[in-house]
Amino acid sequence: MTTINKLRWGVLGTANIGRAAVNPAIQASTNGELVAVASRDLERARAFAAAAGIPKAYGSYEALLADPQVDAVYVPLPNKLHLEWTVRAARQKKHVLCEKPLAMTAAECVAMQRAADTNGVLLMEAFMYRFHPRTEDVVARVRAGAVGEVRVVRSAFTFRLTKLDNIRLDAALGGGSLMDVGCYCVNASRTLLGSEPTVAQAWATWGPTGVDTELTGTLRFPGGAVAHFDCALTLERREYCEVAGTTGSFAAEAAFLPGKGPAELVERRPFPDGRKEERHLTAGVDQYQRMVEHFARAALEGAPLRYPALEAARNMAAIEALYRSARNGGAPEPVAAIG
Ligand SMILES: NC(=O)c1ccc[n+]([C@@H]2O[C@H](COP(=O)([O-])OP(=O)(O)OC[C@H]3O[C@@H](n4cnc5c(N)ncnc54)[C@H](OP(=O)(O)O)[C@@H]3O)[C@@H](O)[C@H]2O)c1
């Protein structure tokens, strides 16, 4: 009997994020191998496979899902297609690592989790920043009371989108700044506050294609703690997160995409020697590789998956409430409780 000790991955689509970050992370991982890529266009799949050293190329996503030598799929398709292809992959008994945001709504996330459970496979949303040791360290220290009672999380994720044919500007494919980058701010806020928001408020600028090109949002948590953030497809790159409590705060630039180099964290509180601030450096890693190795350990060894799809459903419930508010001129909207 052969022991399978590497997860055999396939990727659906020739997406930029696959090419630039996740596919190479799977190829570099200690417990995975990238065995196949599928595209809607066979020639594109072949060219992509040849350039990336992927053994097999398929001309349809169905064909890849029918390959018994694929154990898991990575889904970096446009947001609107996450539900369909995750469910179809689960029915073919493939584990699924699906890009963020996991789906268009919380209800879709719940349906995807159900499909995974019914078919005995794993499903996780690919929020890679959670696997960076700096994020893990901040979350653990915040939980342990390092900043006292957390009252505010402040974050931003903006960049200037210059290509007008980008999926992020296509409303029918699930585009928009909140779906694309604001979802990180919502996720980090919920994670750092360790609870779910109950009320959401947002203001948006809607672009000519019908997506929110800029959005500013506020989430109110039980006990009155607040998270506020902004996201945009129109502003110069800004990316940071700050968590403030009664006795101190942590702040990070490049909070979601620190790259592979050392990542800095600023800790602010009155230190015993009189200093008000300390800067820590976390050694550089590939957070994408840490994510896929975690997922493969769960699939191969039954290690607990850190983030079930229900976690993604809670993120989407907050995003849905923010959108309702933004469409309603900023009126406060309740966030649906999930599960
Ligand atoms: N975690 C991260 O760091 C990160 C970063 C960027 C993006 N993302 C997420 O990853 C996903 C993909 O983003 P991306 O920027 O990489 O997208 P992209 O480059 O536009 O790629 C999307 C792929 O989906 C396939 N596709 C299927 N139907 C399509 C349609 N109707 N229109 C366009 N493409 C279609 C295409 O592959 P074929 O034509 O080959 O079938 C295309 O290459 C999104 O969910 C996004 O939120 C995550």
Side-chain angles (χ1 to χ4, degrees), residues 12-18 22 38-41 44 61 74-79 81-82 99-101 126 128 166-168 173 179-180 184 257 288:
L12 300 189
T14 54
N16 285 324
I17 184 61
V22 182
S39 169
R40 294 168 297 170
D41 178 289
R44 192 154 57 238
Y61 305 153
Y74 165 55
V75 179
L77 297 174
N79 302 331
L81 302 182
H82 291 179
E99 267 306 340
K100 43 55 59 175
M128 70 298 167
N166 194 281
I167 56 169
R168 288 159 184 77
L173 291 179
M179 290 294 276
D180 190 50
Y184 286 95
L257 286 170
Y288 294 96

Side-chain angles (χ1 to χ4, degrees), residues 132-135 252-254 258-265 280-285:
H132 197 284
R134 178 180 61 181
T135 309
E253 291 288 334
K260 294 183 188 173
E264 190 182 63
L265 179 70
H280 311 275
L281 274 188
T282 305
V285 295

Side-chain angles (χ1 to χ4, degrees), residues 197-215:
T198 52
V199 181
Q201 225 175 338
W203 291 265
T205 302
W206 305 94
T209 63
V211 304
D212 53 301
T213 50
E214 296 159 5
L215 186 138

